[in-house]
Amino acid sequence: MRVLGIDTSCDETSVALVERGKILAARVLGQEALHGPFGGVVPEIAARAHAERFLPALAGVLLKAGPPDAVAVTNRPGLVGPLLVGLSAAKAFAFAKGLPIVGVHHLEAHVAAAYLLDPPPEPPFIALIASGGHTLLYDVPERGRYRRLGQTVDDAAGECFDKIAALLGLPYPGGPSIEKAARDGDPRSVPLPRPLRDDPLDDFSFSGLKTAVLYRLKGQDARRGDPTKAGVGVSDLAASAQEAIADILSAKAVRAAGRLGRKRLVLGGGVAANTRLRELVAERGRAAGITVFIPPKALCTDNAAMVAARGAELLDLGVRDGFDLDADPYSE
Ligand code: KG4
Ligand code: ZN
């Protein structure tokens, strides 16, 4: 089945056509230049930009790959205005062409990005999804079933990257900026906490790490009478923060896989584009005898091919939605 995927949940207008795990055409129109001056995504600006960019993105995909057999659209969670643009367009297109439509959970789509790999991971497997708004571990015991093991109790890993980048005066989006700055830094130069890394539960916490960087910058340590710790460079702090986040994420994901006896681990979400995290997960997975599946970077950050992949899975399982399908911005 040829599935048209649509994602407008945040700040990428994305459309893709996927057939049996192969991407036939894909367009991702980013909005970084629009939101950069504000240091984060402005929902109203994002929704308007999606409305302007959606038809060119759709036309590009259809002209290259031809018509689809079904439509899969992200309807949850996300920013409500941006979600409604893609959802309304998806419903109009499906209605006009007489196609089935299925609503997709954005984070489950991040897991399904791995189904676009050759070979794809076969369940059972564990999936670590780390994005700008979410950080969670799924157990996927069988095709189509996503059981949540744990999630962040405060900030998401991507949010932590973004907030630390802002503290360091690095440009938005923060993750790629930190990764770039970290290349010239020493990851062992600044000792930073690893909240909940060794906790037996599968939940995450990143706000303490962000606060530790803030204190380091504002000189709390200096006030405490340890002036040798003041004056740390941006690249050393970036490298140390990146190492701490990659350490926490990789340690917890590999441990959960080991505890549940899963031999495969999938990595996804925008933070999975981070080279150090990819390395560390691959290294620790190998040491634990676990096969690690990491999609190429363009399929880790927001894209519509992953939505089509999750949609295809739902359609195969017989799931169909009606035209009363609504956006659910705060969906768990
Ligand atoms: O999945 P995604 O594209 O959008 C959401 O669903 O949130 O994730 C965006 C997040 C942002 O926080 C961004 O800073 C982070 O992913 N990110 C990275 C990298 N590329 C994107 N974080 C670390 N290193 C990167 N290379
Ligand atoms: Zn995402």
Side-chain angles (χ1 to χ4, degrees), residues 106 110 131-133 158-159 161-162 173-176 179 269-271 273-274 300-302:
H106 182 81
H110 272 301
S131 74
E159 189 179 357
F161 269 110
D162 294 337
E179 176 162 0
V271 177
N274 184 271
C300 289
T301 49
D302 285 351

Side-chain angles (χ1 to χ4, degrees), residues 75-78 105 107 134 148 328-332:
N75 73 320
R76 65 194 194 280
H105 189 290
L107 297 157
H134 298 83
R148 208 173 276 203
D328 185 1
Y330 303 114
S331 170
E332 269 300 297

Side-chain angles (χ1 to χ4, degrees), residues 25 174 213 264:
V213 172
R264 286 173 286 276

Side-chain angles (χ1 to χ4, degrees), residues 133-136 150-157 202-206:
H134 298 83
T135 300
L136 39 88
Q151 58 198 320
T152 183
V153 296
D154 42 53
D155 292 354
D202 294 315
D203 287 334
F204 298 88
S205 167
F206 291 101

Side-chain angles (χ1 to χ4, degrees), residues 137-272:
L137 274 172
Y138 282 108
D139 181 35
V140 182
E142 61 194 16
R143 196 80 206 230
R145 248 186 81 203
Y146 297 70
R147 193 167 70 89
R148 208 173 276 203
L149 297 171
Q151 58 198 320
T152 183
V153 296
D154 42 53
D155 292 354
E159 189 179 357
C160 186
F161 269 110
D162 294 337
K163 287 180 174 170
I164 290 177
L167 290 174
L168 296 177
L170 297 170
Y172 165 89
S177 296
I178 294 223
E179 176 162 0
K180 195 158 159 239
R183 280 184 212 135
D184 305 319
D186 174 1
R188 287 171 308 272
S189 56
V190 186
L192 290 171
R194 267 82 165 145
L196 297 189
R197 184 192 58 184
D198 302 318
D199 189 89
L201 297 179
D202 294 315
D203 287 334
F204 298 88
S205 167
F206 291 101
S207 71
L209 177 54
K210 169 196 67 190
T211 309
V213 172
L214 174 70
Y215 283 162
R216 185 51 61 103
L217 280 167
K218 301 277 183 202
Q220 190 206 49
D221 290 321
R223 273 207 309 277
R224 281 182 175 167
D226 189 356
T228 54
K229 288 183 182 168
V232 183
V234 164
S235 49
D236 280 343
L237 262 171
S240 302
Q242 172 178 267
E243 189 67 19
I245 298 171
D247 178 26
I248 298 166
L249 290 172
S250 56
K252 298 205 73 148
V254 170
R255 200 182 55 221
R259 190 184 73 239
L260 293 170
R262 303 304 192 213
K263 290 288 166 212
R264 286 173 286 276
L265 172 62
V266 164
L267 188 58
V271 177

